[in-house]
Amino acid sequence: MTPEQVAAGCKPAVLELGDAFTRCPVTLRQARLLGISGWAFYIAGRAGALGDVRAETVAAALGFIAPEAVADGWDAALRTVRPMQVATVTLAECCRWGDENLDSVPGAGRLAVLLGRAVDAADATGMPLFAAWRAMPVPERTAGARVAVSLRLLREHFAGAHLLAVRAAGMTPLEAVLAGPEGEAGAVACGWPPPYPPVGPLVRRRLWAEAVTDRLAAPAFAALGPADGAELVDLLAAFRAHRRRP
């Protein structure tokens, strides 16, 4: 497999598993323990690794969430807790979830190794969230925890690559969300208010942006080589199937 093919093959599982821990009730309970809303916990949890920056900087880094919605969550969190504290709690929850849900899955150790190599090889240029998260020390070292953290990091890497690709395609983040699989529902979830522009002319640009996203993410997977890259795709598919079982 080429690095672009590996990136494309890994992406669905990375996007799904990379934030699965954020929907865990135990993780969500941390917002209440910190004294902030669930939305503030989500925004500060994703962007807190950037440190004490302004909401405008966070909105630029997140990209696909409406700036007003970002500011609502970020500023609300800042009134109670430091962003890096929320990021530290989020990382600990990611490790806990991975240890509890992924460590016993066959192949976890091998998957942790392959994902770790991809994370280490990834180019962080123009991807501040990925760079900030990769610089944070990981508090747990079980295979499952390492898998979960690497998935989280690669999810931010893909998100950063997609934001660059969308802008290169001449699309706004809102247009990219509207042209995506969730359409207007996705725009509402990301805090963008209507009215919305027509989607039809945007679809071909978004498809081009998806291909460019894979190209930008490919260097992370080029470090694995064709055989290990194909193994990574297969392992991620198996882990995704395992998580979807009743």
Side-chain angles (χ1 to χ4, degrees), residues 1 4-20 23 151 154-155 158 210 213-214 221 232-233 236-237 239-241 244:
M1 299 180 73
E4 289 86 354
Q5 289 172 329
V6 175
C10 289
K11 186 164 58 177
V14 168
L15 296 181
E16 180 179 322
L17 297 175
D19 75 340
R23 297 185 291 275
L151 288 169
L154 287 176
R155 192 179 193 283
F158 272 114
E210 287 287 353
T213 298
D214 296 338
F221 302 99
L232 176 59
V233 172
L236 282 174
F239 269 64
R240 189 184 188 194
R244 288 184 167 189

Side-chain angles (χ1 to χ4, degrees), residues 29-236:
R29 191 168 63 221
Q30 297 304 314
R32 185 173 70 253
L33 296 176
L34 290 169
I36 59 178
S37 69
W39 181 246
F41 181 70
Y42 173 77
I43 294 295
R46 274 194 69 191
L50 296 173
D52 296 329
V53 299
R54 294 181 180 275
E56 292 85 355
T57 303
V58 177
L62 292 174
F64 296 106
I65 301 176
E68 294 81 4
V70 170
D72 286 345
W74 185 255
D75 292 341
L78 281 180
R79 287 192 289 268
T80 302
V81 66
R82 300 293 293 272
M84 187 58 73
Q85 183 181 349
V86 185
T88 300
V89 169
T90 298
L91 184 58
E93 286 301 306
C94 182
C95 289
R96 176 200 58 77
W97 181 88
D99 187 40
E100 294 177 358
N101 293 276
L102 302 179
D103 197 56
S104 61
V105 180
R110 178 59 175 166
L111 181 58
V113 170
L114 294 175
L115 288 172
R117 286 166 56 191
V119 167
D120 290 342
D123 184 357
T125 303
M127 303 179 189
L129 279 179
F130 170 73
W133 275 105
R134 187 167 62 177
M136 289 189 66
V138 180
E140 187 71 46
R141 291 293 177 180
T142 67
R146 286 158 49 211
V147 168
V149 171
S150 292
L151 288 169
R152 166 80 175 192
L153 288 168
L154 287 176
R155 192 179 193 283
E156 292 295 357
H157 187 60
F158 272 114
H162 191 53
L163 184 58
L164 292 174
V166 162
R167 302 304 289 129
M171 301 173 70
T172 67
L174 170 57
E175 289 174 336
V177 173
L178 287 171
E182 297 182 2
E184 292 189 0
V188 171
C190 290
W192 299 99
Y196 301 122
V199 175
L202 305 175
V203 174
R204 293 182 67 180
R205 287 189 181 188
R206 191 180 189 281
L207 290 174
W208 182 86
E210 287 287 353
V212 173
T213 298
D214 296 338
R215 184 68 178 270
L216 291 173
F221 302 99
L224 301 179
D228 285 354
E231 182 183 5
L232 176 59
V233 172
D234 290 341
L235 280 172
L236 282 174

